[in-house]
Amino acid sequence: MKLNRLLAGSALALAVGLPGLAAAKVEPSLELVQPLADYKIYISEKLQKLVDDTTAFTAAIEAGELDKAKALYAPTRASYEAVEPVAELFGDLDAAIDARADDFEKREKDPNFTGFHRLEYGLWEKDSTKGLAPVADKLLADVTELQGRVVDLPLPPEKVVGGAADLMNEVAASKISGEEDRYSHSDLWDFQANVDGAEKIFELVEPLVAKDDPAFVQRVSANFKTVDDTLAKYRAGQGFELYDKLSESDRTVLSAAVNTLAEDLATLRGKLGLN
Amino acid sequence: MPRDDSSTSKPFLATDRRRLLLGLGAAAGGTLAGSLCPAQAARAGTTSEAEHVADAPLGTARLQQRQPFHGPHQAGIVTPRPAAGLVAAFDVVVQSPADLERLFRALTVRIAFLTQGGRTPQLDPKLPPADSGILGPEIEPDNLTITVGLGAALFENRPWLRPFKPKHLQRMAGFPNDALDPELCHGDLSIQFCANTPDSNIHALRDLLKNLSDQLVLRWLQDGSVPVVAPAADGEKQSARNLLGFRDGTANPDSGDPATMARVVWVGEANDEPAWARGGSYQVVRIIRMLVESWDRTPLGEQQRIFGRKKVSGAPLDGRTEADVPDYAADPDGRVTPLDSHIRRANPRTPEAREHLILRRPFNYANGVTKSRQLEQGLLFVCYQADLEKGFLTVQGRLDGEPLEEYVKPIGGGYFYALPGVPRPGDYLGRPLVEALAARPSTPS
Ligand code: HEM
């Protein structure tokens, strides 16, 4: 296939140090300094917003304001979803903040089931804020802790760049099916946030790959556009319609674009000479 | 990736050894459904020549079995059924004739490579590998065939394709005994993978998903197997058994006879079908669950009356060997072979019934445990015919209400149109359809 030939070409250049792509990649870390610094700002802003939004969200739960809490659930999560690859560097926090009931043998009844989805379960399945205050407290503490830990975190470039593919894998593996936000059906918010997070990473490093592989950049940009345009059909108010509104044909279009983005973005690390 | 001829050359083999290997390959590719099991192959090896410590396992002969990719028809239809099968259905991203052509061309490139074998590209380790690697860097053909079919949905959901739909192609509707699971049904496109080992099918599926991710979205799949059968002592053909323990495939029309296949399986001029469809065939896929626990508790006599055949030998109830032909004329009231037995309903063997022959090519499947803690097993029923209406639909209509229904439950599948073959290198799958589209008079959007 064309793609493979293309990859084989650039891979060869990387391997044997031919001029062109490889020459430009002698010190990959140097030209990544600026994109990484920019990315750090991006995640700091997202995490600040996450803490602010979670404060309001959990306050609504503690005040017993069911409708308000429901309205704040999806937009609050979005900041988390956008920086998920970074958050996932801290496995303990990621599990506490974002685990799903399936991650536990006793499912919803498991005492270790906490975080966003535990609150989602209470708010929608039980249609109540009753008993959720301790879970809400814990969530706020966890996202605050996450923010604190990320401040001091040196960002490994391959993790950041690899994060773009991770986000698309995440969408492909669980957002496209509507199983992530199974009680609230607000999956399209998460979907968009994951895509935004991947798009951000791609934009930051795009200039570094554009000159050597314009076809790649064009294809990735086109697929991002397909996803964004398709999701835009489901915008409602500040966010999105419920997941069940997604038509089967749009789901197919999204799946194909997301899988292809995942395939392409998975080569981004290598294209930048990162191991 | 086009096949790299230089990379497919095989390691040197002593001439007599090579002859042995080729001989085994031919036997395995013959009319016996399946091929020699490794144990038999090993025995054959010890009797005819000395073994050497560094010899490759004789399984290699099977790995090197190759089905031609080019021909008037797709492989995998009248090709002897190997031990492993997998049918996957996809939805496709195709919004224009150009998209369709791109899909067909990409499928052609991958299928030509996968079925003929060769070396996979080796990339820089900083990149994800080009190939899943599950068969190693060198892909052996392993008797692999990949057969592509188009679903009614592909045509019906695209106004520009609608006029080109094969006449009988339709969405599979539930029969009275069906309990169709929407997640296991239909699709824009089907791909049937058949090979000597299930790994080759899985490898090929993963290859297509990776390389065609922008157009193929997996919808459902079911894999299955055919038990390998030892030839009978007298050399007589014996069919493999299904998971109800009965020999399955006995009364199939002769897939080795081109004239019969031209009549039963291949769409030709005699069929009132669009010209592009010639050389193709209607493919029916049915995922049929079997209630094996209840079946195993059923008296043998009743089991045999349900099918109309003897369990051990596969012979008809009025016969002695599997090859014997039942004589229903001598048994008009069904005293020997019940009138509602599976084989008598499926084919009453009247002159009229000759119009309704189908070529069955099923695989057994075992998927684990149901919610009721029963075994989830069944038949991945696949059949081909030149006329869906006269073939499967008529036969299934006659089977509706048969006593076997107490033990089986169709839960998924779909109807597809298997494309004509790729006659020669440089050509591609589905070209006649793409050209018909290009020649179409008006262009409805
Ligand atoms: C789980 C489901 C099924 C089982 C276990 C099953 C099993 C069998 C068996 C054991 C035979 C006798 C051996 C042979 O000739 O192959 C047979 C024959 C046959 N079956 Fe089925 N079958 C199933 C479903 C179907 C379906 C769905 C159809 C088509 C609608 C079908 C059509 C036929 C035909 C045409 C014959 C040959 C009859 C003859 O010419 O004598 N079967 N089947």
Side-chain angles (χ1 to χ4, degrees), chain B residues 174-261:
Chain B
F175 291 87
N177 187 42
D178 290 8
L180 298 179
D181 173 349
E183 299 196 343
L184 291 177
C185 291
H186 320 305
D188 290 336
L189 187 112
S190 72
I191 304 183
Q192 174 198 264
F193 303 84
C194 301
N196 288 337
T197 53
D199 312 75
S200 290
N201 292 335
I202 292 167
H203 172 264
L205 171 67
R206 280 172 61 172
D207 183 283
L208 294 187
L209 284 171
K210 187 174 179 67
N211 285 291
L212 281 79
S213 65
D214 59 331
Q215 292 198 278
L216 286 187
V217 177
L218 192 56
R219 191 179 165 95
W220 53 264
L221 74 78
Q222 179 62 60
D223 59 356
S225 59
V226 183
V228 171
V229 171
D234 57 5
E236 201 188 311
K237 181 196 141 176
Q238 295 194 318
S239 302
R241 293 177 191 275
N242 60 38
L243 291 177
L244 297 182
F246 277 74
R247 297 193 185 276
D248 200 334
T250 314
N252 243 349
D254 182 1
S255 59
D257 175 31
T260 305
M261 292 301 99

Side-chain angles (χ1 to χ4, degrees), chain B residues 347-402:
Chain B
N347 180 7
R349 297 191 184 248
T350 55
E352 193 267 340
R354 273 173 53 85
E355 294 291 301
H356 304 291
L357 295 179
I358 58 179
L359 185 70
R360 290 168 293 135
R361 212 169 174 278
F363 294 87
N364 299 337
Y365 75 80
N367 284 352
V369 186
T370 70
K371 283 210 175 72
S372 329
R373 305 193 180 197
Q374 304 281 293
L375 288 167
E376 165 98 55
Q377 305 191 338
L379 192 70
L380 172 60
F381 176 92
V382 181
C383 76
Y384 293 93
Q385 56 260 288
D387 185 328
L388 180 64
E389 207 73 54
K390 283 190 182 160
F392 174 80
L393 291 172
T394 300
V395 176
Q396 181 57 59
R398 286 198 304 235
L399 288 174
D400 284 346
E402 63 170 333

